[in-house]
Amino acid sequence: MSRHRNVRGYNYDEDFDDDDMYGQSVDDDYCCISPATANQFIYSRQERQAPKEEPLEEEEYEDESKAYSFVPLFPLAKSRDVSHNKLDSEVVPKVARMTVSGKKQTMGFDVPRYLTHISQGENGVVTASLRRGGSPENATATPASETTSKRPETPSKGSNGDEPSTVPTPGRSSGKARQTINIKAELEKRQGGKPLLNLVVIGHVDAGKSTLMGHLLYLLGNVNKRTMHKYEQESKKAGKASFAYAWVLDETGEERDRGVTMDVGMTKFETNSKVVTLMDAPGHKDFIPNMITGAAQADVAVLVVDASRGEFEAGFEAGGQTREHALLVRSLGVTQLAVAVNKMDQVNWQQERFQDITSKLGHFLKQAGFKESDVFYIPTSGLSGENLTTRSSVAQLTSWYSGRSLLEQIDAFKAPQRSVDKPFRLCVSDVFKDQGSGFCVTGKIEAGYIQTGDRILAMPPNETCNVKGITLHDEALDWAAAGDHVSLTVTGMDIIKINVGCVFCDTKEPIRVCTRFRARILLFNIEVPITQGFPVLLHYQTVSEPATIRKLISVLHKSSGEVLKKKPKCLSKGMNAIVEIQTQRPVSLELYKDYKELGRFMLRYVGSTIAAGVVTEVK
Amino acid sequence: MKLLHKDIEKDNAGQVTLMPEEAEDMWHTYNLLQVGDSLRASTIRKVQTESPTGSVGSSRVRTTLTLCVETIDFDSQACQLRVKGTNLEENQYVKMGAYHTIELELNRKFTLAKKSWDSVVLDRIEQACDATQKADVAAVVMQEGLANLVLVTPAMTLLRAKVEVTIPRKRRGSCTQHEKVAVMVYCLLSFLLLPFLLVVKCILVASPGFVKDQFITYLFKEAVRHDNKILLENRPKFMLVHSSSGHKYSLKEILSDPTVTNRLSDTKAAGEVKALEDFYKMLQHEPDRAFYGLAHVEKAAEALAIDTLLISDKLFRHQDVPTRSRYVRLVDNVRDNGGNVRIFSSLHVSGEQLTQLSGVAAILRFPIADLSEPEDDSSSDDD
């Protein structure tokens, strides 16, 4: 009978959707033994592909993965070893490892970790080959084997294929020599040694952000000629011929109709030494909440300004978005900025215009807090494609400009340090129901790492769920670490409970939830003074929640931080103050001193940003 | 509200007979009542009857009772007022001193007797009986995934419906889900909006971005498709306004929008919003001429400096008589000195904001040096 029916390969997990009770015997009930031990010692037929093997070595526990996370370079790299034959050999070593179980619990892992990505022909990380008893066999599994497993959770011992290869070159691993990247098996991943970078494109409305990026993607080959041609034709038909490149990123019907980007468009591309997640933000004032969501997840930014006469001035003055966007990204923690002075072909690549813009912007950005050494200015033309991927050949430009092209500049950005060793945190930016059981959440992992099969906790609903699958840029993975923008398929929870703004965290170290908290804020240029009871809109990561300023506690001196005045009557622009904020609904927050990225927030009122702040205390 | 009979003596004691006609009158009555007043109204009482055979039955009897008011409850969503108190007059069904809860009904008269009628209360009666200010406006504030449907009357802002949905965002390759959910939201909203079409004078639709345009297009497309005459006839009542978010406080923005104020110049709500804006402007430009907090404002009143007094009516519902009379005295003081008094309804968005700001604020005629007292915190912290 097993000839005709796929009995062995039957995926019982799919059968009983979210119900943990069925399909497992009562003995498996997690009240008696911990899931980790259960996974380790109790043979489950579903795990017929590589059984969960708890790594034994001490080295593993020393460092919580401080490793980087990298996007797989080639699809092939995503090979998983389905080693049925290893089954027997590994059951034996398992028994021998019983003694270590106690220590394992502290790791909080239910699923053994494996390196899932082997890049072909690359110097992968040497995992502790000593660790695994069955490694000789593993070495036989070639990296190229691309057996697709039925379930994304299949742990793979892919890394083993790399073991014979050399020790990772630390220099290549990340922009900075991280000798902390250790042999922690699964979580040392370097797909081709390219660190991941999150880039956001900001600027005033109609500065040319979408067109610039669309053209860049086209030149890099991410968009094929036929698709481009199709866009050109359709946009011409719609009467928006100049928006052809922008259509690469603006995909919804409405965005194309109106010719504006309304929501952050996400995609990825690669440069010589980086894998870049691109977020194209809307420039319109009304869509700033969406732009904040995108910018909160970014590490570096490209500010696009329009060089045409009058346009730059319009964007740069008080009501324009150039200032607001720059301030926002700075407040959200971005330190490196590339300014693309766009539409230079409209001003005939004049040097004086470029200098003019550069000096004005430079002055402003310095005030905003950007270091001069971290800001770069590049003249470009999005529509014609000059100076995007290669150095320009336009004579008018090369006569006075010999700096980098946009792509080279993006390549030259320093990738930031990721806090992979902190407890897992992921801010949900999108929730939707995909095919299959469970539902998908998208977001950027702010700290820590995650694997398929993990149990994670969602706050504020305070519910746990299982991670069924991880997808990064449309490719399924088994793990992901801080800095990745992934979409998780989770089961075991009601989709209603999760909305944009929830934070998924480690079950052992949950994030705090509150309605009142104290914060230190810096006020921008505001017209209306802030008094007690002032209603504002709190923007924290992906959350946007109405809140009131409950109490004005004190005013601080801008640079020294000492208290100038206690219990002030009101706050006006430029002040640095400590206030107590109360939100309508509970939000999950982290203190600034624990997590630099997660401790920042913005306050907006009537369509403009009035303050940026950091969380100092949670009540 | 109809004023049927008024009988107030020299020492300010007396009684007044009123008949509420609409929901808003309940709100006015709520503001008139105080603990210790006596209220006479027709109500239903459950009476236990014992028949000669010994079996007990109960029946409901309509009778007129006079109560000494002890507790007042107002449900803002349903606009119901319930008053609990002890019986004062002899009645064939209810003993003296027995407790009863009267639920005031529309179109039934009631008589209210107080020991002292002050100016604030008399003002309110006049306001309630004033037939001119009856503009009702419905407003829909929305943004992606959130919509609030609000009914704005002269004295109240009632949240009628709130729709909140998680709309999946745009993703590479699949944008259709986004549109589907958006359409669902519009459908729901149009359904909720229908009851208000005939009642209100104007319907404001506000949102950031293009959501409002999409909503209106959808609404009228469906109206044409289903040949919905009511909707089509009331088309001119719809007005599109820009707002910065879909939350309730954006209502303030909408009401201060010039195009809206032109259309709704007689709405009390718009007037209150403007007054509060003036206060904030003054606070920004000349902080010594704008005060808030009871202690500060009282000091300014003593100096005869107050030009405009903004006060929330929540303070007058304070059941503690000395505190209340303090506020009343403040109001009288300002009126006597030729200042304006604006009493903000605490159900309006502007009133809520004023309440957060301690409930009383003043714009002065001339600047007074800032009296900051570091030790005392005039704003009470009610958790």
Side-chain angles (χ1 to χ4, degrees):
Chain A
M1 211 162 58
S2 40
R3 218 184 306 152
H4 309 298
R5 289 197 308 165
N6 192 4
V7 172
R8 289 222 187 110
Y10 193 72
N11 192 350
Y12 290 98
D13 202 54
E14 286 299 318
D15 226 359
F16 306 108
D17 262 359
D18 304 349
D19 210 334
D20 275 341
M21 283 304 296
Y22 300 111
Q24 292 172 13
S25 76
V26 183
D27 296 331
D28 280 349
D29 201 2
Y30 293 139
C31 56
C32 330
I33 40 172
S34 67
T37 28
N39 280 329
Q40 180 185 342
F41 298 120
I42 294 184
Y43 177 62
S44 154
R45 186 165 39 164
Q46 294 151 353
E47 313 304 318
R48 76 195 131 69
Q49 303 179 346
K52 323 267 185 189
E53 200 177 69
E54 298 298 295
L56 185 58
E57 292 303 309
E58 302 300 300
E59 310 143 283
E60 263 192 60
Y61 303 114
E62 272 157 21
D63 316 75
E64 279 292 310
S65 51
K66 294 194 182 117
Y68 252 120
S69 63
F70 297 97
V71 177
L73 176 58
F74 310 112
L76 296 178
K78 205 182 55 210
S79 55
R80 303 205 190 114
D81 296 357
V82 179
S83 32
H84 298 262
N85 48 349
K86 298 192 196 143
L87 206 62
D88 306 321
S89 64
E90 267 129 22
V91 170
V92 172
K94 260 213 243 173
V95 177
R97 290 185 199 140
M98 255 195 242
T99 51
V100 202
S101 65
K103 196 161 180 206
K104 259 184 291 273
Q105 295 311 316
T106 59
M107 296 296 112
F109 286 133
D110 296 339
V111 182
R113 309 131 269 182
Y114 295 103
L115 239 191
T116 58
H117 299 276
I118 325 160
S119 21
Q120 275 209 2
E122 240 126 23
N123 295 334
V125 175
V126 172
T127 55
S129 28
L130 5 140
R131 177 173 6 118
R132 233 176 282 277
S135 70
E137 278 148 289
N138 299 342
T140 60
T142 58
S145 65
E146 207 183 310
T147 37
T148 44
S149 50
K150 288 203 186 88
R151 290 168 26 191
E153 295 171 47
T154 310
S156 75
K157 300 190 304 260
S159 64
N160 303 325
D162 270 347
E163 267 142 354
S165 52
T166 62
V167 181
T169 49
R172 189 147 55 113
S173 58
S174 50
K176 46 225 113 111
R178 272 174 125 214
Q179 49 287 50
T180 53
I181 294 183
N182 62 345
I183 13 182
K184 180 133 184 83
E186 327 76 43
L187 296 170
E188 288 187 8
K189 44 254 117 184
R190 229 129 0 84
Q191 270 61 28
K194 290 195 182 179
L196 186 67
L197 198 63
N198 291 314
L199 176 81
V200 69
V201 185
I202 53 177
H204 189 58
V205 58
D206 279 344
K209 305 181 279 296
S210 305
T211 304
L212 192 70
M213 284 303 140
H215 206 144
L216 187 70
L217 288 171
Y218 173 61
L219 290 174
L220 282 175
N222 286 41
V223 183
N224 64 22
K225 279 198 167 17
R226 258 185 54 205
T227 323
M228 202 62 240
H229 195 66
K230 189 171 80 159
Y231 288 152
E232 274 170 23
Q233 299 230 319
E234 285 178 10
S235 58
K236 218 181 299 206
K237 244 195 294 179
K240 295 192 182 311
S242 60
F243 281 88
Y245 286 114
W247 282 26
V248 174
L249 286 161
D250 292 342
E251 293 185 339
T252 63
E254 212 189 334
E255 287 179 339
R256 290 183 173 177
D257 270 341
R258 300 182 195 261
V260 276
T261 311
M262 285 169 46
D263 199 358
V264 174
M266 284 222 266
T267 178
K268 97 161 192 288
F269 65 92
E270 284 187 25
T271 64
N272 284 338
S273 69
K274 303 268 189 323
V275 177
V276 182
T277 305
L278 176 73
M279 288 173 277
D280 179 30
H284 230 78
K285 199 168 157 150
D286 286 335
F287 301 120
I288 287 198
N290 291 341
M291 174 256 168
I292 292 182
T293 317
Q297 302 171 347
D299 307 315
V300 297
V302 172
L303 175 67
V304 182
V305 287
D306 191 341
S308 330
R309 299 244 159 261
E311 291 292 332
F312 170 68
E313 283 74 19
F316 193 56
E317 68 181 19
Q321 301 324 108
T322 309
R323 278 186 199 262
E324 194 165 354
H325 279 201
L327 274 176
L328 276 173
V329 287
R330 179 73 192 94
S331 314
L332 288 168
V334 170
T335 44
Q336 301 176 70
L337 186 70
V339 180
V341 183
N342 203 16
K343 303 196 190 176
M344 283 297 282
D345 51 343
Q346 308 267 357
V347 296
N348 289 326
W349 305 95
Q350 275 176 19
Q351 187 178 18
E352 314 97 73
R353 182 72 174 148
F354 183 72
Q355 304 278 26
D356 186 28
I357 293 179
T358 311
S359 58
K360 281 208 190 112
L361 270 179
H363 187 67
F364 164 66
L365 291 173
K366 186 141 168 267
Q367 269 186 333
F370 285 100
K371 278 212 275 263
E372 296 231 4
S373 50
D374 285 335
V375 182
F376 309 93
Y377 300 89
I378 303 167
T380 56
S381 165
L383 206 52
S384 63
E386 291 296 330
N387 214 16
L388 288 189
T389 44
T390 52
R391 300 277 170 100
S392 172
S393 49
V394 173
Q396 283 167 318
L397 179 60
T398 45
S399 59
W400 54 267
Y401 180 75
S402 55
R404 299 192 183 115
S405 67
L406 188 60
L407 194 65
E408 286 167 19
Q409 183 51 59
I410 296 177
D411 207 25
F413 278 136
K414 302 192 265 299
Q417 190 140 18
R418 313 266 183 210
S419 39
V420 196
D421 43 340
K422 296 219 169 121
F424 173 67
R425 299 273 183 269
L426 177 128
C427 297
V428 173
S429 63
D430 198 6
V431 182
F432 53 92
K433 192 124 176 52
D434 214 357
Q435 51 278 68
S437 60
F439 56 94
C440 282
V441 296
T442 333
K444 176 177 172 212
I445 303 182
E446 295 288 345
Y449 50 88
I450 183 148
Q451 287 181 292
T452 51
D454 273 357
R455 266 193 98 77
I456 49 178
L457 177 68
M459 298 292 265
N462 204 2
E463 303 232 337
T464 52
C465 58
N466 280 318
V467 175
K468 199 167 125 182
I470 305 179
T471 315
L472 179 61
H473 295 309
D474 303 326
E475 289 161 12
L477 293 186
D478 283 348
W479 55 266
D484 290 344
H485 195 97
V486 295
S487 89
L488 303 177
T489 311
V490 297
T491 54
M493 184 159 30
D494 203 355
I495 189 172
I496 295 288
K497 300 224 172 84
I498 302 289
N499 47 15
V500 176
C502 291
V503 178
F504 279 104
C505 50
D506 196 8
T507 33
K508 302 254 173 21
E509 298 191 42
I511 193 170
R512 263 178 285 210
V513 177
C514 63
T515 47
R516 293 174 73 156
F517 60 95
R518 279 201 188 191
R520 193 172 67 236
I521 61 174
L522 173 63
L523 294 164
F524 297 151
N525 276 353
I526 43 171
E527 297 112 28
V528 184
I530 297 186
T531 51
Q532 213 157 322
F534 201 75
V536 289
L537 204 54
L538 173 76
H539 282 277
Y540 171 76
Q541 298 292 317
T542 44
V543 190
S544 144
E545 188 73 38
T548 45
I549 298 191
R550 222 43 172 83
K551 279 202 266 198
L552 308 175
I553 298 175
S554 56
V555 179
L556 302 176
H557 191 265
K558 279 188 96 148
S559 28
S560 66
E562 50 182 88
V563 177
L564 282 180
K565 185 173 169 194
K566 270 199 191 285
K567 296 206 177 86
K569 243 177 52 163
C570 67
L571 302 175
S572 44
K573 58 183 162 201
M575 281 196 188
N576 207 341
I578 298 191
V579 295
E580 196 173 294
I581 300 181
Q582 177 160 24
T583 53
Q584 267 183 13
R585 278 183 297 195
V587 279
S588 36
L589 291 173
E590 283 290 354
L591 301 181
Y592 180 64
K593 57 179 183 352
D594 294 334
Y595 288 83
K596 279 209 153 45
E597 310 90 20
L598 289 181
R600 298 176 205 262
F601 62 89
M602 316 285 304
L603 294 178
R604 298 192 82 229
Y605 176 70
V606 185
S608 56
T609 315
I610 53 171
V614 293
V615 182
T616 51
E617 200 187 315
V618 168
K619 294 231 163 157
Chain B
M1 185 115 84
K2 271 220 257 300
L3 180 63
L4 297 173
H5 183 80
K6 185 162 151 184
D7 186 11
I8 298 190
E9 284 136 43
K10 282 226 173 54
D11 63 348
N12 280 342
Q15 61 185 38
V16 156
T17 309
L18 300 163
M19 180 155 91
E21 286 169 336
E22 43 177 38
E24 192 161 320
D25 297 333
M26 284 302 162
W27 167 253
H28 288 300
T29 318
Y30 174 52
N31 281 295
L32 292 175
L33 284 175
Q34 276 243 288
V35 171
D37 297 345
S38 72
L39 176 73
R40 179 165 356 130
S42 165
T43 177
I44 296 181
R45 176 84 173 176
K46 267 213 192 89
V47 177
Q48 303 267 28
T49 51
E50 200 169 318
S51 77
T53 54
S55 57
V56 182
S58 71
S59 59
R60 301 169 82 205
V61 177
R62 187 167 269 280
T63 171
T64 309
L65 284 180
T66 309
L67 298 184
C68 173
V69 177
E70 279 188 24
T71 322
I72 314 167
D73 271 312
F74 183 67
D75 178 4
S76 52
Q77 284 294 79
C79 288
Q80 293 278 35
L81 188 60
R82 313 183 78 222
V83 182
K84 183 166 98 161
T86 51
N87 191 12
L88 288 177
E89 237 178 73
E90 281 180 14
N91 186 286
Q92 66 179 127
Y93 302 110
V94 185
K95 290 205 199 31
M96 294 271 285
Y99 274 93
H100 184 77
T101 305
I102 296 183
E103 190 166 317
L104 288 178
E105 294 155 35
L106 292 178
N107 294 315
R108 274 192 193 271
K109 67 177 193 296
F110 67 89
T111 307
L112 178 62
K114 274 188 196 275
K115 287 198 200 66
S116 86
W117 290 86
D118 53 41
S119 55
V120 175
V121 171
L122 289 172
D123 260 348
R124 191 167 273 278
I125 296 184
E126 259 168 67
Q127 219 179 58
C129 303
D130 189 357
T132 56
Q133 293 193 353
K134 292 279 187 247
D136 278 359
V137 172
V140 182
V141 271
M142 49 188 172
Q143 63 186 34
E144 291 251 331
L146 172 68
N148 282 316
L149 177 60
V150 175
L151 184 67
V152 179
T153 64
M156 304 187 282
T157 301
L158 303 171
L159 182 67
R160 278 285 166 239
K162 185 168 176 180
V163 180
E164 202 169 339
V165 116
T166 314
I167 294 193
R169 315 216 2 203
K170 144 177 140 181
R171 278 186 324 284
R172 200 89 195 278
S174 76
C175 313
T176 49
Q177 278 203 11
H178 176 103
E179 287 160 13
K180 263 191 267 168
V181 180
V183 166
M184 235 170 30
V185 174
Y186 299 150
C187 190
L188 194 60
L189 266 183
S190 52
F191 180 67
L192 292 167
L193 203 51
L194 287 178
F196 295 101
L197 282 177
L198 299 170
V199 178
V200 297
K201 200 171 103 163
C202 172
I203 303 180
L204 301 171
V205 182
S207 81
F210 305 112
V211 188
K212 55 184 186 298
D213 305 310
Q214 281 181 323
F215 175 55
I216 293 286
T217 346
Y218 173 81
L219 193 66
F220 287 113
K221 201 163 64 142
E222 290 295 307
V224 168
R225 194 150 68 106
H226 296 286
D227 212 12
N228 191 335
K229 293 231 168 15
I230 311 174
L231 203 53
L232 292 171
E233 277 164 27
N234 287 308
R235 193 170 184 154
K237 283 194 187 169
F238 282 85
M239 235 172 93
L240 287 169
V241 187
H242 178 269
S243 82
S244 67
S245 81
H247 298 285
K248 207 171 124 193
Y249 63 81
S250 313
L251 209 58
K252 221 162 63 98
E253 267 176 69
I254 311 174
L255 290 175
S256 43
D257 193 77
T259 43
V260 173
T261 38
N262 282 341
R263 185 112 177 239
L264 306 173
S265 45
D266 53 350
T267 324
K268 198 159 163 282
E272 285 181 13
V273 166
K274 184 158 184 316
L276 197 62
E277 294 246 334
D278 288 339
F279 173 74
Y280 272 109
K281 273 206 201 82
M282 189 61 79
L283 190 60
Q284 190 208 356
H285 295 298
E286 286 177 73
D288 286 339
R289 271 176 74 181
F291 278 13
Y292 66 90
L294 186 59
H296 288 193
V297 173
E298 274 187 343
K299 279 213 173 58
E302 280 165 33
L304 306 181
I306 296 187
D307 186 24
T308 312
L309 179 71
L310 311 167
I311 191 161
S312 160
D313 66 6
K314 188 166 178 193
L315 299 176
F316 294 113
R317 272 182 266 127
H318 218 290
Q319 297 308 338
D320 180 25
V321 178
T323 327
R324 187 171 183 276
S325 41
R326 208 171 149 193
Y327 290 121
V328 176
R329 244 179 297 132
L330 180 64
V331 169
D332 288 338
N333 195 345
V334 173
R335 278 222 185 99
D336 290 338
N337 292 319
N340 290 331
V341 176
R342 288 202 82 114
I343 303 189
F344 278 47
S345 166
S346 52
L347 278 187
H348 279 157
V349 185
S350 48
E352 281 168 7
Q353 194 170 349
L354 183 62
T355 314
Q356 295 261 355
L357 201 56
S358 86
V360 56
I363 301 178
L364 308 180
R365 295 181 182 127
F366 48 84
I368 296 187
D370 194 18
L371 334 124
S372 38
E373 295 126 46
E375 341 68 69
D376 91 274
D377 192 3
S378 55
S379 51
S380 57
D381 195 7
D382 45 301
D383 279 69

